[in-house]
Amino acid sequence: MQDLSNADCIVIQGSNMAECHPVAYQWVTEARLKGARVIHVDPRFTRTSATADKHIPIRAGSDVVLLGALIKYILDNELYFKEYVVAYTNAATIVSEKFQDTEDLDGLFSGYDDEKGSYSQETWAYASNDGADDETPGTIGGPAAGHEHGHTKSERAAGDEHGSGGPALEHAKVLRDETLQDPNSVFQILKKHYARYTPEMVADTCGIGVDDFEYLARSVTENSGRERTTAFVYAVGWTQHTLGAQFIRTAAIVQLLLGNMGRPGGGIMALRGHASIQGSTDIPTLYNILPGYLAMPVAGLHDTWDDYLGAIGNKEQKGFWANADTYAVSLLKAWWGKAATAENDWCFDYLPRLSGAHGTYQTTMAMLDDQVEGYFLLGQNPAVGSAHGRMQRQAMSHLKWLVVRDFNMIESATFWKDGPEIASGELKTEDIGTEVFFLPAAAHTEKSGSFTQTQRMLQWHHQAVEPPGDCQSELQFFYELGRRVRELLADSTDERDRPLLDLTWDYPTDEHGEPDAEAVLAEVNGRHLTGDKAGEPLSSYTEMKADGSTDGGCWIYTGVYADGVNHAAARKPGREQDLTALDWGWAWPANRRILYNRASADPEGNPWSERKRYVWWDAEAGKWTGHDVPDFVPDKAPSYRPEPGTGGPAGLAGDDPFVMQADGKGWLFAPKGMLDGPLPTHYEPQESPVSNPLYAQQSNPARKVFPRKDNLWSPSGDAPGADVYPYVFTTYRLTEHHTAGGMSRWLPYLSELQPEFFCEVSPELAAERGLENGGWATIVSARAAIEARVMVTERMTPLVVRGRTIHQIGLPYHWGVGSNAIVSGDAANDLLGVALDPNVQIQESKAGSCDIVPGRRPAGDELLRLVAEYQSRAGSTVMTSNELRTGHPESTPDTRGG
Amino acid sequence: MDPKKTFLSWPVVRQVRSGDFLGRGPAVTSAHTRELTPRTATADKVVQSVCPYCAVGCGQRVFVKDGRVVQIEGDPDSPVSRGRLCPKGSASEQLVNNPGRQRKALYRRPGGTDWESIELSTAVEMVAQRFVESRRRTWQDHDEHGRPLRRTMGIASLGGATLDNEENYLIKKLFTAAGAIQIENQARI
Ligand code: SF4
Ligand code: SF4
């Protein structure tokens, strides 16, 4: 975070940082005071724009065109950082001749399967000197590491596994052309792919003038290179799209070309929105991964331990993922202790198997089908905070039982008596058979534990007081629940209950029954189990073994409890340290603050420049040193070259800085890992008033759609009926509220600061629709109609896209309908439908189509009729906008959504 | 005229006398204000904490008196936040103490029109029983090809991004051992 102050230029795009991460914004301000240029690219003029050097308004969802044009500008004008690009990226690597680009196939890459609506990634592989399908000894991969189809990868949201490194490659014998001239080199493929991403295309797609583009391009390129660095900052404005992961990939390509990765003041800063949302990804409360980004096993792919090991990381693979067996065995030992032995494959069979996508939206639809009986809500309010609030509430009314653990009586706990569907008459309280348990939660001051903040730093918070009344920490509740469940099953001889009964589930508690959070942290960190160090904490994940002699619940967190010291609680004041502040909290991995920081030195190990000195090779001492923990084998000299065929970390050369990648390089072209293409390509949002100006293919052909009657869409582009929902809406957050309001709309101060739901519209749109500042407006999408107070403001700029004016409407999504909060109001997320990014299964909530009219919305039956009348006028059916491959209806999955 | 009000107590004169030229310090402090003591000064202890809202992770100092949180302020020691808090972080004392906060376990029976009170331990036991029953009813041993599944699709969970790592760890561990795979949180949203 502090490192942003080292940047010479900062581009904030897909984030309103000053509003949503206000205290972090001080580092942007600091950079600006030191002369950095700050540019804000956003549909709205916000608090961030107000303090930036320039605001560039953009049409929501068109970011790949802008950034793609930046890539073209860098390549055309030879402004890339040549030495860095050749040495540290895969620019010189040759790609298989079977690869075909979207330029060849009008918006599709090679490998698209109409029936599955997804890609096989085989043709995107690197070329090899002995044939692309080579699997001879010395190459990476065996049968198990072979090609898994994008369809199953998407279902298990395999993109999430790359939270700490890239995927395995088939082979390591890559061909390189360091002149970058080979037509199949990544560099030339990149050139061709973005050839039509011109400043004029930017104007025609994003609504950004050529001058503004020029300003951005010059600012970024003039502030990159040996002496200078540029940073990008994003938040959910980039992730919440049907090609969200590709937005970030585009920025990664820009940053790699400009040599800004792994260097001070560079990189791409992800601003996450919750105290421990990073932690809940690392130690995931997510369906598809195990702690430390290990895959959850999938039926048919990982039926045996050997299948699984081959898939998560192969010994012959280069980089640290080659040791994935040690991470997995240590995890299984942490969970099943003595029961986990070499003979029973460390209880691998105790793990349940995936068989498709089981994300939160698929689960919601399964509830509607009465397949889910019980649901726990742990500090989350889906009735307001998830896309398609109506579907969420309807789904919960199908549950047998619901447990809500929260501070306040949130809307998800009371939908059965005061939800919008009760008001509209769609649901009746007496008919809802759901049993609801409201169990009050303890606050952060009432329990000890660690949060992992946005830059992977764990910080311990100490308990200050006892929780009041029945309030309990999740730690205590789940420990207790586990104890009782195990008691209920204690006499069971059923084999299916063994995983619960054999589970290590014994933590010391205090006099109030609260488990010792530090004991849990120690388990997460891991221990030596045998030998003279038995019982001692591990100090690094490199100490983990695959023979059962170590345990550890999350390998990337190993070291946080090194020497039995809680390093998350390290609190040396910042003013007594340098900017990196290594003695405050603990960042994974190994307390490293900037990842891949080996790249801050040149191939010989010297800083690229004095000004950007960060980590370098100390030849005399024979080790890496600097302001941070070097992200490299500490004593591996820059001149080190591995024997061909060496796997693991030793397989990477002394000048391969991207140590979690299978080839040690930063990937401009992703031969594996991205399910919707090896290069980011512009597609329109699922719902868009604009036809894709670049390709016949309208939207991401690999996105996840759910054609069903309760999830209709507006027609897009030139399709008839698209003008029924002519405006774009985009949702966002305010400083004074938090997400769905569970932690803010019950607080008098915050409620007073932002009391009421509103919509932001431009004066032009207000005139077009007769909207009055301070008055009411009704906003209608193909799913719902809601009402909001109108704010007419020049902060909203109408954009001209190919001669047509596009109006965008801004909607903060913090309010919900209920009777318990201090402030309530219609929920913006009710307008959204469910369509997902294929890599990570995140919904598109940053761009949708709507209409807006003056006045309050009707109530009851009339409200339902209004929505239905719009749907019929637009001619929306379950097929509308759901065709995956444009013009090929057969590419649309059945109504269960696949 | 108030005998205590003399020429010397004229505001401008007061400002000059006390060196408070901008009129924002002692010159304008009332007797009432002078007698006030900040809650932070009378606290029994100060505990280092972290803001529970967004992922910036600003440092907090929690002031405690008589077993109660009386104030929460920014922690100047934090190298990330350097003592600052935004409106949410600054309001977090109300998160802990607001009168609307639920402090008791509640139960709504099927078809019920209102909440009923319930003993916490009764509620937890009922949840444990339902957990076991739903798991049994919805258990899947194998898929249609005979491949192992060992799971229940009958129990799901959402939440975790506002919880501690240690809490998420226990949740993931317990649910996975129980075969419940539909565990999700805000990170997917
Ligand atoms: S109102 Fe709040 S944000 Fe504004 S100056 Fe006062 S304390 Fe600061
Ligand atoms: S004080 Fe504000 S900026 Fe800091 S962590 Fe809390 S919510 Fe985020």
Side-chain angles (χ1 to χ4, degrees):
Chain A
M1 199 65 81
Q2 302 91 292
D3 179 59
L4 277 175
S5 65
N6 289 322
D8 300 296
C9 175
I10 301 174
V11 180
I12 304 171
Q13 187 172 345
S15 153
N16 177 6
M17 186 177 183
E19 175 101 28
C20 301
H21 299 86
V23 179
Y25 197 71
Q26 65 181 291
W27 299 105
V28 175
T29 309
E30 193 108 323
R32 199 153 170 256
L33 289 174
K34 291 198 289 180
R37 183 174 278 186
V38 178
I39 302 172
H40 186 223
V41 183
D42 200 277
R44 300 179 301 125
F45 183 95
T46 64
R47 282 172 168 165
T48 305
S49 325
T51 50
D53 290 283
K54 189 170 185 63
H55 169 237
I56 301 179
I58 184 172
R59 180 170 66 91
S62 65
D63 303 51
V64 172
V65 179
L66 179 65
L67 297 170
L70 198 51
I71 294 172
K72 178 177 164 60
Y73 178 93
I74 294 165
L75 296 175
D76 285 357
N77 298 295
E78 302 201 5
L79 294 167
Y80 49 93
F81 189 166
K82 205 166 236 145
E83 263 187 279
Y84 184 106
V85 167
V86 172
Y88 294 167
T89 76
N90 66 358
T93 308
I94 312 294
V95 172
S96 158
E97 287 188 354
K98 292 184 206 152
F99 170 71
Q100 283 179 291
D101 188 66
T102 44
E103 285 301 282
D104 307 318
L105 301 174
D106 207 3
L108 293 182
F109 291 99
S110 47
Y112 190 74
D113 182 335
D114 271 324
E115 239 164 72
K116 297 198 169 98
S118 59
Y119 283 104
S120 152
Q121 301 166 290
E122 254 160 297
T123 58
W124 310 346
Y126 290 157
S128 126
N129 42 8
D130 21 291
D133 302 322
D134 175 53
E135 270 169 10
T136 52
T139 63
I140 288 183
H147 284 288
E148 179 189 347
H149 198 279
H151 180 65
T152 58
K153 282 207 158 197
S154 178
E155 292 199 322
R156 58 194 187 84
D160 285 356
E161 286 159 25
H162 309 318
S164 71
L169 283 174
E170 279 63 48
H171 59 80
K173 291 192 217 157
V174 297
L175 298 174
R176 287 172 63 82
D177 169 23
E178 306 219 337
T179 69
L180 308 180
Q181 294 311 311
D182 189 299
N184 279 334
S185 66
V186 163
F187 189 80
Q188 294 298 330
I189 289 174
L190 205 59
K191 265 194 154 164
K192 175 176 157 189
H193 183 79
Y194 292 110
R196 292 188 297 126
Y197 288 61
T198 59
E200 294 70 35
M201 185 59 79
V202 170
D204 272 355
T205 313
C206 314
I208 295 173
V210 172
D211 291 351
D212 280 355
F213 172 73
E214 185 75 22
Y215 177 89
L216 174 73
R218 290 183 61 130
S219 304
V220 168
T221 52
E222 285 169 8
N223 286 297
S224 299
R226 268 177 195 276
E227 297 286 337
R228 307 179 77 76
T229 50
T230 290
F232 274 78
V233 174
Y234 76 93
V236 294
W238 270 1
T239 57
Q240 292 177 341
H241 289 279
T242 43
L243 61 152
Q246 295 284 12
F247 281 30
I248 300 147
R249 271 272 302 145
T250 328
I253 295 172
V254 170
Q255 290 295 64
L256 283 170
L257 287 173
L258 295 174
N260 284 325
M261 296 306 273
R263 300 182 61 207
I268 302 173
M269 182 81 198
L271 292 172
R272 310 201 63 181
H274 301 73
S276 201
I277 194 159
Q278 180 63 47
S280 63
T281 320
D282 305 333
I283 297 179
T285 29
L286 295 171
Y287 79 91
N288 56 322
I289 43 178
L290 290 164
Y293 301 96
L294 293 163
M296 274 290 282
V298 176
L301 281 176
H302 312 131
D303 291 336
T304 69
W305 175 234
D306 285 343
D307 291 346
Y308 182 73
L309 281 187
I312 58 172
N314 189 295
K315 280 291 160 205
E316 290 154 25
Q317 172 185 343
K318 292 185 194 178
F320 281 93
W321 269 107
N323 298 332
D325 57 340
T326 67
Y327 317 148
V329 173
S330 296
L331 170 65
L332 294 171
K333 284 299 284 183
W335 284 6
W336 286 295
K338 289 205 165 64
T341 64
E343 292 69 48
N344 65 13
D345 294 333
W346 316 106
C347 292
F348 173 68
D349 281 341
Y350 280 11
L351 292 173
R353 306 296 203 259
L354 310 183
S355 61
H358 313 298
T360 182
Y361 292 105
Q362 288 90 354
T363 300
T364 303
M365 292 175 212
M367 286 177 198
L368 289 166
D369 294 342
D370 294 321
Q371 288 169 2
V372 181
E373 297 193 356
Y375 196 27
F376 291 85
L377 292 179
L378 313 170
Q380 202 154 338
N381 190 7
V384 178
S386 289
H388 209 328
R390 287 170 50 74
M391 188 190 277
Q392 298 292 334
R393 297 183 295 265
Q394 293 270 11
M396 286 192 285
S397 75
H398 283 250
L399 294 165
K400 277 196 168 46
W401 50 275
L402 169 68
V403 178
V404 180
R405 296 191 38 82
D406 216 294
F407 303 131
N408 300 308
M409 193 54 84
I410 54 172
E411 289 78 7
S412 297
T414 62
F415 70 93
W416 47 270
K417 61 171 182 169
D418 55 19
E421 288 69 33
I422 303 289
S424 69
E426 289 164 276
L427 293 175
K428 260 184 78 187
T429 300
E430 292 79 6
D431 298 342
I432 298 175
T434 313
E435 212 177 6
V436 188
F437 298 88
F438 184 94
L439 304 177
H444 68 300
T445 50
E446 296 155 0
K447 61 187 184 186
S448 293
S450 63
F451 291 142
T452 304
Q453 54 82 276
T454 198
Q455 218 184 348
R456 311 179 320 281
M457 178 170 62
L458 284 78
Q459 299 185 99
W460 194 261
H461 57 87
H462 300 269
Q463 182 176 11
V465 295
E466 290 303 325
D470 291 342
C471 297
Q472 270 185 330
S473 67
E474 303 313 297
L475 204 65
Q476 182 169 1
F477 173 76
F478 278 97
Y479 186 46
E480 184 62 24
L481 179 67
R483 265 189 357 90
R484 293 195 193 220
V485 165
R486 279 153 54 97
E487 255 164 45
L488 290 170
L489 298 173
D491 301 327
S492 165
T493 52
D494 196 327
E495 196 263 343
R496 80 172 63 146
D497 297 329
R498 293 302 339 149
L500 277 169
L501 296 173
D502 288 344
L503 195 65
T504 56
W505 201 255
D506 190 17
Y507 301 100
T509 53
D510 69 9
E511 69 272 26
H512 306 283
E514 174 76 7
D516 178 3
E518 247 187 57
V520 179
L521 186 70
E523 176 179 323
V524 167
N525 178 85
R527 292 163 281 229
H528 294 279
L529 298 176
T530 57
D532 33 322
K533 285 192 177 167
E536 281 178 33
L538 301 178
S539 46
S540 155
Y541 63 78
T542 53
E543 290 178 358
M544 284 185 162
K545 298 275 178 341
D547 61 2
S549 64
T550 59
D551 71 5
C554 182
W555 67 277
I556 55 175
Y557 279 18
T558 304
V560 67
Y561 206 67
D563 305 316
V565 176
N566 181 351
H567 295 285
R571 284 294 185 280
K572 185 171 177 186
R575 59 189 168 277
E576 295 169 20
Q577 306 188 55
D578 68 9
L579 197 69
T580 322
L582 291 172
D583 294 321
W584 181 277
W586 185 91
W588 72 264
N591 201 25
R592 191 168 288 133
R593 307 299 163 121
I594 295 184
L595 287 179
Y596 301 132
N597 57 35
R598 158 69 180 90
S600 68
D602 67 14
E604 286 73 48
N606 305 312
W608 288 107
S609 65
E610 250 339 279
R611 203 166 167 263
K612 296 289 164 177
R613 176 184 276 275
Y614 194 65
V615 162
W616 58 90
W617 174 250
D618 180 342
E620 238 161 76
K623 64 182 180 63
W624 291 92
T625 182
H627 303 304
D628 198 348
V629 179
D631 195 357
F632 215 58
V633 177
D635 58 355
K636 186 192 275 189
S639 58
Y640 169 84
R641 294 294 175 275
E643 286 297 316
T646 314
L652 296 179
D655 59 357
D656 282 336
F658 293 90
V659 293
M660 299 310 290
Q661 299 290 101
D663 56 358
K665 306 288 184 207
W667 285 3
L668 300 167
F669 176 98
K672 244 189 154 175
M674 297 301 288
L675 307 178
D676 45 358
L679 289 172
T681 305
H682 172 69
Y683 300 111
E684 287 293 324
Q686 163 83 357
E687 238 178 11
S688 168
V690 174
S691 298
N692 191 339
L694 277 150
Y695 315 97
Q697 177 63 34
Q698 169 75 3
S699 295
N700 185 352
R703 72 195 186 281
K704 295 285 139 188
V705 296
F706 303 87
R708 27 190 301 148
K709 274 195 251 153
D710 57 0
N711 191 38
L712 296 182
W713 299 93
S714 160
S716 286
D718 306 325
D723 55 339
V724 173
Y725 306 99
Y727 307 120
V728 175
F729 70 90
T730 186
T731 61
Y732 62 88
R733 267 194 189 187
L734 302 166
T735 303
E736 297 81 5
H737 280 296
H738 189 245
T739 313
M743 289 167 70
S744 61
R745 281 185 291 112
W746 275 261
L747 276 57
Y749 288 155
L750 298 177
S751 299
E752 189 173 342
L753 285 168
Q754 287 291 2
E756 208 168 0
F757 178 39
F758 59 89
C759 58
E760 277 185 78
V761 299
S762 66
E764 293 83 351
L765 176 57
E768 186 170 310
R769 277 297 194 235
L771 304 167
E772 237 175 80
N773 189 47
W776 288 95
T778 296
I779 304 146
V780 192
S781 78
R783 277 76 50 188
I786 57 170
E787 63 184 12
R789 290 284 187 179
V790 177
M791 177 186 284
V792 181
T793 167
E794 283 167 13
R795 299 192 306 224
M796 301 304 291
T797 315
L799 296 175
V800 179
V801 172
R802 281 183 291 170
R804 186 175 147 205
T805 302
I806 302 283
H807 291 289
Q808 309 193 85
I809 299 168
L811 300 171
Y813 72 91
H814 303 292
W815 290 267
V817 174
S819 51
N820 198 267
I822 297 175
V823 291
S824 55
D826 279 0
N829 284 339
D830 281 14
L831 293 178
L832 296 169
V834 179
L836 312 176
D837 171 293
N839 292 291
V840 291
Q841 307 267 342
I842 287 177
Q843 81 287 339
E844 185 152 74
S845 33
K846 291 301 172 226
S849 298
C850 69
D851 190 18
I852 187 166
V853 290
R856 304 194 69 157
R857 64 165 167 77
D861 205 31
E862 239 184 285
L863 174 63
L864 304 179
R865 278 207 299 275
L866 174 72
V867 176
E869 185 263 322
Y870 265 85
Q871 290 167 343
S872 97
R873 222 160 12 100
S876 289
T877 70
V878 288
M879 286 301 293
T880 304
S881 288
N882 276 333
E883 219 169 64
L884 288 180
R885 182 171 167 199
T886 308
H888 292 256
E890 73 279 10
S891 65
T892 300
D894 66 23
T895 50
R896 287 290 306 128
Chain B
M1 191 183 150
D2 186 338
K4 278 182 278 174
K5 289 218 168 138
T6 64
F7 168 78
L8 288 180
S9 65
W10 280 17
V12 171
V13 179
R14 247 184 5 232
Q15 274 177 246
V16 173
R17 271 190 3 182
S18 62
D20 177 17
F21 298 112
L22 294 175
R24 297 195 297 204
V28 291
T29 312
S30 70
H32 178 70
T33 302
R34 268 196 299 276
E35 276 154 26
L36 289 178
T37 324
R39 290 192 296 278
T40 51
T42 53
D44 303 332
K45 63 172 177 179
V46 185
V47 178
Q48 283 188 304
S49 193
V50 182
C51 176
Y53 288 94
C54 89
V56 174
C58 296
Q60 292 191 331
R61 287 192 176 175
V62 180
F63 294 83
V64 180
K65 188 169 173 57
D66 302 330
R68 212 170 161 267
V69 173
V70 289
Q71 174 67 336
I72 296 180
E73 302 211 334
D75 185 350
D77 286 354
S78 165
V80 177
S81 57
R82 299 189 290 190
R84 296 155 169 100
L85 291 176
C86 81
K88 289 189 290 292
S90 310
S92 51
E93 177 270 332
Q94 285 192 340
L95 179 73
V96 183
N97 290 330
N98 91 72
R101 180 176 169 192
Q102 295 297 322
R103 289 167 172 82
K104 288 281 163 221
L106 291 170
Y107 175 67
R108 184 256 177 184
R109 64 183 66 242
T113 54
D114 213 344
W115 292 106
E116 303 168 30
S117 60
I118 188 170
E119 281 293 318
L120 178 63
S121 71
T122 311
V124 178
E125 184 61 27
M126 285 168 79
V127 173
Q129 283 166 1
R130 278 148 189 73
F131 191 94
V132 168
E133 285 159 18
S134 289
R135 178 172 174 269
R136 185 177 299 138
R137 262 198 301 270
T138 57
W139 188 257
Q140 301 174 340
D141 253 327
H142 294 283
D143 68 7
E144 64 277 17
H145 307 290
R147 299 179 299 213
L149 290 174
R150 303 196 60 114
R151 70 181 189 196
T152 165
M153 298 295 281
I155 302 172
S157 148
L158 182 67
T162 55
L163 308 181
D164 297 342
N165 291 314
E166 295 73 21
E167 298 178 319
N168 279 306
Y169 182 75
L170 286 203
I171 296 167
K172 182 76 177 179
K173 183 175 173 179
L174 179 66
F175 277 63
T176 307
I181 57 176
Q182 297 160 105
I183 316 168
E184 288 277 275
N185 77 55
Q186 182 73 32
R188 182 89 56 212
I189 293 167

